[in-house]
Amino acid sequence: MKKLSVLFVAVMALGIFNSSCDAKMGGKMKSDVDSASYAIGVLEGSRIIEGLEGIPGGYSKEALLAAYELAVKQDSGALKMTVEQAQAYLQTYFPKAQEKEAATNKAASEKFMEDNAKKDGIKVTPSGLQYKVITEGTGPKPDSISVVKVNYKGTLADGTEFDSSYKRGEPATFPLNQVIKGWGEGIQLMPVGSKYMFFIPSDLGYGDRGAGGKIKGNMALIFEVELLEIVPPAAPEAPAIPQK
């Protein structure tokens, strides 16, 4: 049902955005309502595109907008599905699409990891994690419960970037016992001051569930990581002095 809700919002947002940009308006706003509608279209249309990219199997913008227009016009005779039929279809379609997508991703990721392991400078751990040393630091290494401060960039095997502390303009800080297995294992290999590349198979990443729109089920991940600091544990608070 969550996917149905996402798709419904996406249809609404794209429909508003499409009508707001309609050439019939000639780029002129005739009232405050027109301006408000256009503003909603800009905000919601821009916001929802990334969510649509995460729909299993992808989507056809043309088919989506065609059905939306007919539904808004309440032209039930032209619609090829009733609301009930559409809901029933999607409840069956999404699980199948997710399963197919996950199988495709799994095969592609395994092939990527197999080929990558043969490249110069790539080291492979018993778990299947692959890494390459770009810069070797001279500081201490963290352990499995350390809190670390890092700069990093994450990409998919095809080069699509999905996260970057560099772009946010500040390092990230987190405990190693609360991250994906590939991170937890890989960063423990790094002395402070190091920069490594990690190539993480899906079973050491987000598995078949994925994580958000760009990281789908069974995808291998690539991270460029700089270990800046092992964050010392916070000092315990002094006990309160009893008052007389």
Side-chain angles (χ1 to χ4, degrees), residues 2-55:
K2 183 178 180 181
K3 287 292 184 182
L4 294 177
S5 298
V6 170
L7 187 59
F8 176 76
V9 173
V11 172
M12 292 294 292
L14 279 179
I16 292 171
F17 185 79
N18 189 58
S19 61
S20 298
C21 296
D22 197 311
K24 293 178 182 178
M25 293 189 69
K28 298 178 181 179
M29 304 297 152
K30 297 180 180 180
S31 68
D32 288 345
V33 172
D34 285 346
S35 296
S37 298
Y38 190 89
I40 292 170
V42 170
L43 293 174
E44 295 302 319
S46 300
R47 191 177 297 154
I48 205 65
I49 288 299
E50 186 174 352
L52 281 170
E53 292 176 351
I55 291 178

Side-chain angles (χ1 to χ4, degrees), residues 231-242:
V231 180
E237 294 184 5
I241 299 175

Side-chain angles (χ1 to χ4, degrees), residues 131-177:
Y131 68 98
K132 181 176 182 178
V133 178
I134 300 174
T135 302
E136 187 74 5
T138 58
K141 293 181 179 181
D143 59 32
S144 62
I145 60 172
S146 292
V147 176
V148 297
K149 181 181 288 187
V150 300
N151 264 323
Y152 69 94
K153 179 178 74 172
T155 61
L156 305 179
D158 65 3
T160 300
E161 184 177 304
F162 57 82
D163 195 10
S164 172
S165 67
Y166 298 103
K167 287 189 175 180
R168 290 194 296 273
E170 60 179 357
T173 301
F174 50 77
L176 290 183
N177 59 1

Side-chain angles (χ1 to χ4, degrees), residues 194-226:
S194 297
K195 185 175 184 178
Y196 282 20
M197 293 285 293
F198 293 120
F199 305 87
I200 301 178
S202 63
D203 61 315
L204 298 180
Y206 293 99
D208 58 7
R209 70 185 187 278
K214 291 183 179 179
I215 304 177
K216 300 182 180 181
N218 291 335
M219 279 188 163
L221 305 174
I222 304 170
F223 286 95
E224 176 182 307
V225 182
E226 293 180 86

Side-chain angles (χ1 to χ4, degrees), residues 39 74 100 155 201 213:
Q74 297 184 320
K100 181 179 179 180
T155 61

Side-chain angles (χ1 to χ4, degrees), residues 66-89:
Y68 172 78
E69 182 178 4
L70 292 173
V72 168
K73 290 179 178 178
Q74 297 184 320
D75 190 351
S76 58
L79 282 169
K80 300 182 183 299
M81 298 179 185
T82 64
V83 170
E84 293 75 18
Q85 288 171 333
Q87 289 176 331
Y89 179 82

Side-chain angles (χ1 to χ4, degrees), residues 98-148:
Q98 285 175 318
E99 184 177 349
K100 181 179 179 180
E101 187 174 74
T104 299
N105 291 339
K106 183 177 177 64
S109 294
E110 289 177 349
K111 180 67 165 58
F112 168 79
M113 296 297 295
E114 181 182 345
D115 292 344
N116 192 67
K118 300 172 184 176
K119 295 180 179 179
D120 291 341
I122 300 296
K123 300 178 181 181
V124 185
T125 72
S127 72
L129 174 70
Q130 299 177 14
Y131 68 98
K132 181 176 182 178
V133 178
I134 300 174
T135 302
E136 187 74 5
T138 58
K141 293 181 179 181
D143 59 32
S144 62
I145 60 172
S146 292
V147 176
V148 297

